[in-house]
Amino acid sequence: MFSGGPKPVQGAMKTPVIILANPQIGENIGAAARAMLNFGLTDLRLVNPREAWPNKKAEAMAVGAVSVLESARVFATMEEAIADLGLVFATTGRDRLMAKRVATPDEAVEELVAELAQDRPCGVMFGAERMGLTNDEVILADAILTVPTNPKFASLNLAQSVAVVAYEWFKGTHERPDFKLPVKYRRAALANKEDLIGFFEHIEGELDRTEFLFPVAKRPAMVQNMRNMWHRAALTYQEVQTLRGMVRALTGGKKRRKKDESE
Amino acid sequence: MFSGGPKPVQGAMKTPVIILANPQIGENIGAAARAMLNFGLTDLRLVNPREAWPNKKAEAMAVGAVSVLESARVFATMEEAIADLGLVFATTGRDRLMAKRVATPDEAVEELVAELAQDRPCGVMFGAERMGLTNDEVILADAILTVPTNPKFASLNLAQSVAVVAYEWFKGTHERPDFKLPVKYRRAALANKEDLIGFFEHIEGELDRTEFLFPVAKRPAMVQNMRNMWHRAALTYQEVQTLRGMVRALTGGKKRRKKDESE
């Protein structure tokens, strides 16, 4: 669970419609619906799906996102599916050899956010599994959305493609989560320098005694390296006490045993 | 195909290892492999997969990425799978109630790029489908990677999770593709202003003649709106000629017919 909430916008932010053109495989529709809801999208439209609708295989893949499938609307043609939308992107990785603007997912999200902030309905089309969108479908869109991929293996799975666009939508409309742990699990403050230096002197004293810091000419560099290492560990007071206990145990263990017995 | 190539780095950039812990379903391993290769990752390791390996269902889902499956290495334990790696992220969406650093996918990629640029092997772990990584597996990692998701429906499909991380890897290691069309399909230069204004005056003259620009008091605003619209269309010379032909056709059609007959 994240505490990073939505970015402040004027009024309640609408979300873009996801339009799947001629989807062939129920599982892919379900996987797309799951990815949509994972990233806060809920408005799904299907153009002429090959399999009967509603579809059990889609529901099995959607897991907890069945609500997205239940509210999905089915259309006979792309023209009908996008009739009420303004800005529409056509997702395709292939060269279309048409003079249409091409945006990356994050660039497209920026435009969608700007339009939706003014309550203008927008959408993103995705093509059928085998061949993607037809040229006629791409022509209906204002611009092309292309997910940058490995040119040697560019063809994305339909649901993966929806997931990447939905992920960028979520990223573009939410502050970075702050990942704060509940107070009781939150990391304690760093040990203060008196405690830390007390530990340095304790362990270095023991290491001098056992002639680990030898020869003398190398001692300053060895101490410096060790102190840098301890600093890097960003120790808390409790961790410093634990380390001192470990050193005492390793150098005879009397004190810890004595303490335990006295308890 | 993109002309946006890899970002310049010193030497050949290694890629992070993707480690799937106890994957349950062959199809998910195949889908993860496909997403990996889509975004330039090839090094897959499996810890104790539930189904027999190699796996036909994984191969069917991988489509053109079977090479990733063929070169995948199988390990009995996570400890063995990450033995040769330095920086390792554990991907999880659940609160782990442990004082471990948490990074978003793009932040993690930035760290992976920095390490890999110095030829230090790195990896990202992903947990089993139902429950994700165990706490013992997370503890083996240097930091947590969390894909920001809808807090009301946070659980990502395994392959989707791999896809998002791989997508950020590709994005973080490649320049933005420049989407340039081959020269013969590239959009021609804008019409120059003389041609454009010639068209404006032509169509406005015809609209005056048919009393469309009426009443006179509103003419300047109507003309201004139309000219703004034509400018927004970013017309080429050829498009201006086409529009002039359309106006001639709509106002009698003599000239176009005459031209056709003379050819």
Side-chain angles (χ1 to χ4, degrees):
Chain A
M1 300 272 280
F2 299 112
S3 6
K7 286 185 181 168
V9 290
Q10 300 96 323
M13 174 65 93
K14 298 269 171 41
T15 56
V17 178
I18 298 296
I19 307 126
L20 306 186
N22 311 297
Q24 307 293 293
I25 301 168
E27 280 91 339
N28 284 334
I29 304 174
R34 178 175 176 181
M36 284 174 61
L37 193 57
N38 281 147
F39 297 116
L41 300 182
T42 53
D43 195 346
L44 175 63
R45 300 184 184 179
L46 306 175
V47 178
N48 191 29
R50 189 181 62 181
E51 299 176 348
W53 190 260
N55 184 289
K56 287 289 165 208
K57 287 181 287 176
E59 285 163 23
M61 278 301 282
V63 193
V66 171
S67 61
V68 173
L69 299 177
E70 285 169 351
S71 62
R73 293 166 61 195
V74 178
F75 297 85
T77 66
M78 181 59 81
E79 283 84 348
E80 293 168 83
I82 63 172
D84 61 326
L85 304 180
L87 180 65
V88 172
F89 284 93
T91 307
T92 171
R94 285 190 292 127
D95 278 347
R96 292 303 181 146
L97 309 179
M98 54 176 89
K100 219 182 249 298
R101 196 160 58 79
V102 183
T104 55
D106 45 336
E107 292 166 348
V109 162
E110 222 172 287
E111 291 187 49
L112 292 168
V113 167
E115 289 293 295
L116 288 159
Q118 302 184 63
D119 272 339
R120 299 174 182 164
C122 297
V124 184
M125 305 176 185
F126 296 83
E129 286 86 345
R130 200 173 296 268
M131 289 300 292
L133 292 167
T134 64
N135 275 347
D136 285 345
E137 288 163 338
V138 173
I139 288 168
L140 294 173
D142 297 282
I144 287 171
L145 187 166
T146 293
V147 179
T149 49
N150 175 0
K152 290 179 190 147
F153 186 57
S155 169
L156 283 170
N157 166 274
L158 171 57
Q160 303 280 31
S161 183
V162 172
V164 164
V165 172
Y167 163 73
E168 285 284 11
W169 165 260
F170 194 85
K171 205 174 150 189
T173 54
H174 290 72
E175 305 287 357
R176 181 191 180 282
D178 68 1
F179 297 122
K180 264 195 195 128
L181 290 171
V183 175
K184 66 181 278 209
Y185 295 105
R186 222 170 275 169
R187 193 169 156 71
L190 290 184
N192 67 33
K193 293 296 175 278
E194 181 180 6
D195 293 328
L196 198 62
I197 292 165
F199 164 63
F200 290 167
E201 290 172 351
H202 176 185
I203 190 168
E204 290 156 13
E206 293 293 351
L207 293 172
D208 277 331
R209 202 174 53 77
T210 57
E211 296 185 334
F212 177 84
L213 296 175
F214 188 85
V216 173
K218 287 198 174 163
R219 188 182 186 281
M222 293 169 87
V223 165
Q224 182 185 303
N225 289 343
M226 279 196 307
R227 289 193 174 195
N228 281 342
M229 178 185 78
W230 298 123
H231 271 290
R232 222 162 43 230
L235 302 169
T236 63
Y237 173 77
Q238 190 50 57
E239 288 167 342
V240 168
Q241 297 314 107
T242 302
L243 282 168
R244 295 191 76 151
M246 286 166 59
V247 172
R248 279 193 299 269
L250 294 171
T251 55
K254 278 179 207 157
K255 282 173 191 166
R256 174 148 177 113
R257 203 171 303 134
K258 212 162 134 188
K259 193 185 163 206
D260 286 348
E261 282 162 6
S262 74
E263 279 170 357
Chain B
M1 301 272 279
F2 299 112
S3 4
K7 286 185 180 169
V9 290
Q10 300 96 322
M13 172 66 91
K14 298 267 168 46
T15 55
V17 178
I18 299 295
I19 307 125
L20 306 186
N22 311 295
Q24 306 293 294
I25 302 168
E27 281 92 338
N28 283 335
I29 304 174
R34 178 173 175 180
M36 284 174 60
L37 194 58
N38 281 148
F39 298 115
L41 300 181
T42 54
D43 196 346
L44 176 63
R45 300 185 184 177
L46 307 175
V47 178
N48 191 29
R50 189 181 61 180
E51 299 176 346
W53 190 262
N55 184 288
K56 286 290 167 207
K57 288 180 287 176
E59 284 163 24
M61 278 300 283
V63 192
V66 171
S67 61
V68 173
L69 298 177
E70 285 169 352
S71 63
R73 293 166 63 195
V74 179
F75 296 85
T77 65
M78 181 59 80
E79 283 84 345
E80 292 167 85
I82 63 173
D84 61 327
L85 304 181
L87 180 65
V88 172
F89 285 93
T91 307
T92 171
R94 285 190 294 126
D95 278 347
R96 292 304 182 147
L97 309 181
M98 54 175 90
K100 217 180 249 298
R101 194 160 60 79
V102 182
T104 54
D106 45 337
E107 292 166 348
V109 162
E110 221 172 287
E111 291 186 49
L112 293 167
V113 167
E115 290 292 297
L116 288 157
Q118 301 184 66
D119 273 339
R120 300 172 182 166
C122 296
V124 184
M125 304 176 185
F126 295 84
E129 286 87 344
R130 200 173 297 265
M131 289 301 293
L133 292 167
T134 64
N135 276 345
D136 284 346
E137 287 163 341
V138 173
I139 287 167
L140 293 172
D142 297 281
I144 287 172
L145 188 166
T146 292
V147 179
T149 49
N150 175 1
K152 291 179 191 148
F153 186 58
S155 168
L156 284 170
N157 165 276
L158 171 57
Q160 302 281 32
S161 183
V162 172
V164 164
V165 172
Y167 163 73
E168 285 285 10
W169 165 261
F170 194 84
K171 206 173 147 187
T173 53
H174 289 73
E175 304 287 356
R176 181 190 180 283
D178 68 0
F179 297 121
K180 265 196 195 127
L181 290 170
V183 174
K184 65 183 278 211
Y185 296 103
R186 223 171 275 170
R187 192 169 157 71
L190 289 184
N192 68 33
K193 293 297 176 275
E194 181 180 5
D195 293 327
L196 197 62
I197 292 165
F199 164 64
F200 290 169
E201 290 172 351
H202 177 186
I203 190 167
E204 289 157 12
E206 293 293 351
L207 293 173
D208 278 331
R209 201 174 56 75
T210 57
E211 298 186 332
F212 177 84
L213 298 173
F214 188 84
V216 173
K218 288 197 173 164
R219 188 182 186 282
M222 294 169 85
V223 165
Q224 182 185 305
N225 288 343
M226 281 195 306
R227 289 193 174 194
N228 281 343
M229 178 183 78
W230 299 122
H231 271 291
R232 223 161 44 230
L235 302 168
T236 64
Y237 174 77
Q238 190 50 57
E239 288 168 340
V240 167
Q241 297 314 109
T242 302
L243 282 167
R244 294 192 76 150
M246 285 165 60
V247 172
R248 280 194 296 271
L250 294 171
T251 55
K254 279 182 204 153
K255 283 176 185 163
R256 175 147 177 112
R257 201 171 304 135
K258 212 162 134 190
K259 193 186 163 204
D260 286 349
E261 282 162 4
S262 73
E263 277 170 2

